[in-house]
């Protein structure tokens, strides 16, 4: 009889890719993916704890499975990801949801197969969280679900300890994969027909720091030199480590997209200092100038946090001014979320919710107006789009240009995985629409 799995993923791209690794393990055990959790024989929650709402979301969804599990006793429910890796959280989960069968962490994802086999033999829940700071968790082959895009981890963990961020506590110290493994994985994926490779890490710029391996710009260059037509992206860069050498590599290698995600978090120097970001707003602007000197058309995107402890109206205005000055192509905006165990959680001067809300609304309005202004310039232009998907509701194919702008178009044939030319006829705020030519 066919056995089905369902994975619910919360949080960032890193988690999306880790879910592909989980899918690889489950398909190795003979499970097939299913769309509805109700139909699954094993339901996995790959959680995130970077902000409180991501955590609450996961807790809510796991809670909703109580009834289903009561009627379907053989179903296995497994919870993994960053949330379980926080000190004491696995026990809290077990107490709150005793019907959860397996609780695992980010460091032992590759052992999920063993944990499932163990659970099938015993009645008791299997709770195993590892604190293996230095190791690299290489799972079985991922079951990739994002064709024509493929994600490749280059580093795991983070050493930066930004004062608001829980990542270094739940993902451990930064460690890098060997460059030869990364390069051969990229080659293999391109040979298989993948058209876009994204190198992933919390801070890709510090790749291989303190080891005998090649630097990040060199790694990027070598991957970019792989034969075949494909696009190369990377995520995420920390501004303090963004170098002139990297800007040159982007400029000199046509397969590397002219799009850089460079989270600034705030435009206020006192907030940046309290965040332990190790740069000032002037340093950040300087990095952008260096990047644009070599790659003038580079689209820069960012992450911004409002409502960090003690953020004054003046600090917030500094953020608005920086956003205006840089002219980001788009930005992810967040309200500061207090995370237990971080340095910022102990700071006085927490900002009232209504103040943060008003600030984020204002910030979103500014970011969106800039994005709209930029997309309006596309009208009448012909752009190369890598077709990624079909939107059944709109009855249109969609994909992105090298700068990351989404475009919709109609086609009688399936274009997924193809580079196509689209003449843009409309800009609808964030996305574009046009005709195939
Ligand atoms: N509160 C709000 N946003 C956060 N981020 C990380 N930690 C927090 C937090 N505690 C944001 C940062 C980071 C992005 C991935 O998530 O902007 O760049
Ligand atoms: Fe968190 Fe800072 Fe590391 Fe990014 S660089 S994961 S924000 S600690």
């Amino acid at each position: 009889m066919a056995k089905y799995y369902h994975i619910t993923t919360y949080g960032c791209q890193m988690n999306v890719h880790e879910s592909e690794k989980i899918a690889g393990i489950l398909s190795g055990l003979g499970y097939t993916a299913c769309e509805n959790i109700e139909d699954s024989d094993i339901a996995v929650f790959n959680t995130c704890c970077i902000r409180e709402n991501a955590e609450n979301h996961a807790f809510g969804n796991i809670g909703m499975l109580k009834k289903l599990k009561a009627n379907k006793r053989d179903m296995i429910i497994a919870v993994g990801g960053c949330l379980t890796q926080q000190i004491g959280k696995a026990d809290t989960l077990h107490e709150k949801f005793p019907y959860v069968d397996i609780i695992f962490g980010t460091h032992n994802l590759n052992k999920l197969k063993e944990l499932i086999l163990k659970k099938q033999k015993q009645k008791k829940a299997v709770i195993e969280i590892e604190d293996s700071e230095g190791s690299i968790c290489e799972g079985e082959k991922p079951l990739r679900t994002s064709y024509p895009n493929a994600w490749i981890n280059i580093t795991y963990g983070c050493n930066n300890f930004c004062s608001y961020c829980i990542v270094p506590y739940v993902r451990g110290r930064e460690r890098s994969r060997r460059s030869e493994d990364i390069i051969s994985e990229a080659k293999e994926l391109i040979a298989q027909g993948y058209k876009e490779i994204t190198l992933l890490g919390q801070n890709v710029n510090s790749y291989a720091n303190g080891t005998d391996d090649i630097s990040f710009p060199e790694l990027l260059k070598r991957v970019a030199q792989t034969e075949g037509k494909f696009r190369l992206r990377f995520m995420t860069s920390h501004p303090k480590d963004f170098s002139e050498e990297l800007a040159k590599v982007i400029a000199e290698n046509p397969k590397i997209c002219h799009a850089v995600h460079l989270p600034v978090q705030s435009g206020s120097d006192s907030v940046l200092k309290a965040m332990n970001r190790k740069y000032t707003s002037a340093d950040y602007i300087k990095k952008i100038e260096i990047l644009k000197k070599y790659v003038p058309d580079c689209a820069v995107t960012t992450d911004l946090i409002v409502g960090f402890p003690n953020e004054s109206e003046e600090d917030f205005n500094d953020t608005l001014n920086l956003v205006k000055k840089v002219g980001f192509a788009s930005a992810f905006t967040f309200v500061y979320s207090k995370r237990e165990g971080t340095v910022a959680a102990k700071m006085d001067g927490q900002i009232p919710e209504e103040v943060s809300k008003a600030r984020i609304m204002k910030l979103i309005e500014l970011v969106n107006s800039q994005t709209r202004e930029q997309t309006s310039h596309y009208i009448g232009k012909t752009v190369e789009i890598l077709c990624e998907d079909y939107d059944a509701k709109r009855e249109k194919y969609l994909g992105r240009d090298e700068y990351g702008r989404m475009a919709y178009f109609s086609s009688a044939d399936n274009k997924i995985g193809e580079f196509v030319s689209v003449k843009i006829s409309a800009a609808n705020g964030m996305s574009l629409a046009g005709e195939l030519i």
Side-chain angles (χ1 to χ4, degrees), residues 158 160-162 164-165 167-168 202-203 238 265 277:
C158 183
N160 287 315
F161 288 94
C162 300
Y164 51 81
C165 185
V167 168
Q202 308 292 350
N203 176 17
H238 193 299
Q265 314 297 359
R277 290 291 289 179

Side-chain angles (χ1 to χ4, degrees), residues 91-362:
D91 294 336
T92 311
L93 262 166
H94 182 54
E95 273 160 35
K96 243 179 127 113
F97 311 113
Y99 53 87
V100 167
D101 301 284
I102 301 170
I103 301 177
F104 63 106
T106 51
H107 297 311
N108 62 345
L109 180 153
N110 55 339
K111 294 199 185 127
L112 183 58
K113 181 176 166 179
E114 288 165 39
L115 302 183
I116 293 170
L117 297 176
K118 190 167 171 186
K119 175 60 207 171
Q120 282 166 341
K121 284 192 207 119
Q122 72 180 50
K123 233 177 160 181
K124 220 172 77 187
V126 175
I127 305 173
E128 285 188 22
I129 308 290
E130 273 178 27
D131 193 20
S132 53
E133 293 265 289
S135 75
I136 286 188
C137 169
E138 296 278 272
E140 293 184 19
K141 266 200 176 272
L143 187 76
R144 296 184 180 273
T145 50
S146 337
Y147 177 82
N149 305 333
W151 320 96
I152 302 181
N153 284 117
I154 67 163
T155 66
Y156 296 93
C158 183
N159 288 350
N160 287 315
F161 288 94
C162 300
S163 62
Y164 51 81
C165 185
I166 193 131
V167 168
Y169 304 92
V170 292
R171 293 208 171 252
R173 295 294 61 71
E174 183 180 281
R175 56 248 182 238
S176 301
R177 290 178 68 200
R178 295 297 302 176
S179 58
E180 56 270 24
D181 294 342
I182 297 165
I183 294 164
S184 66
E185 187 173 348
K187 276 194 179 140
E188 199 183 314
L189 290 166
I190 293 155
Q192 285 169 12
Y194 284 89
K195 301 288 169 24
E196 186 171 295
I197 302 284
T198 305
L199 304 182
L200 284 179
Q202 308 292 350
N203 176 17
V204 291
N205 298 88
S206 61
Y207 171 78
N209 254 0
T211 73
D212 61 351
D213 212 335
I214 56 176
S215 67
F216 179 63
E218 184 59 31
L219 173 71
L220 195 63
K221 190 162 98 189
R222 292 199 197 170
V223 175
Q225 282 165 353
T226 309
E227 277 193 32
K229 184 167 167 71
F230 67 96
R231 284 180 182 164
L232 181 56
R233 300 183 189 275
F234 54 92
M235 243 184 7
T236 295
S237 295
H238 193 299
K240 77 177 163 57
D241 300 313
F242 193 94
S243 64
E244 183 160 7
E245 189 194 353
L246 180 58
K248 279 188 202 165
V249 167
I250 300 171
E252 287 162 6
N253 292 275
K255 288 175 192 173
I256 304 172
C257 293
H258 288 188
V260 171
H261 187 62
L262 201 60
V264 64
Q265 314 297 359
S266 169
S268 152
D269 289 345
S270 63
V271 173
L272 286 170
K273 192 158 196 285
M275 285 178 164
N276 193 30
R277 290 291 289 179
K278 302 191 174 82
Y279 55 83
T280 62
S281 59
D283 297 333
Y284 184 86
I285 302 274
K286 195 83 186 274
K287 298 270 174 169
I288 301 288
E289 282 168 3
I290 293 170
L291 172 62
K292 296 263 171 129
K293 181 174 132 195
Y294 293 97
V295 195
D297 62 337
C298 196
V300 182
T301 53
T302 201
D303 293 344
L304 296 155
I305 297 176
V306 301
F308 186 80
N310 300 306
E311 181 189 64
S312 66
E313 233 12 76
E314 202 185 329
D315 293 322
F316 175 61
N317 278 330
D318 288 344
T319 298
L320 295 177
N321 288 333
L322 182 125
V323 169
K324 284 180 200 154
K325 197 160 179 180
V326 177
F328 295 108
S330 66
F332 294 107
T333 52
F334 306 107
V335 170
Y336 165 73
S337 172
K338 186 175 171 181
R339 304 283 66 205
E340 270 336 309
T342 62
V343 171
K346 295 182 208 84
M347 289 178 185
D348 294 330
Q350 302 283 329
I351 303 294
E353 203 182 316
E354 59 278 15
V355 175
S356 294
K357 267 197 184 147
R359 287 182 187 164
I360 199 152
M361 298 298 278
K362 209 166 167 183

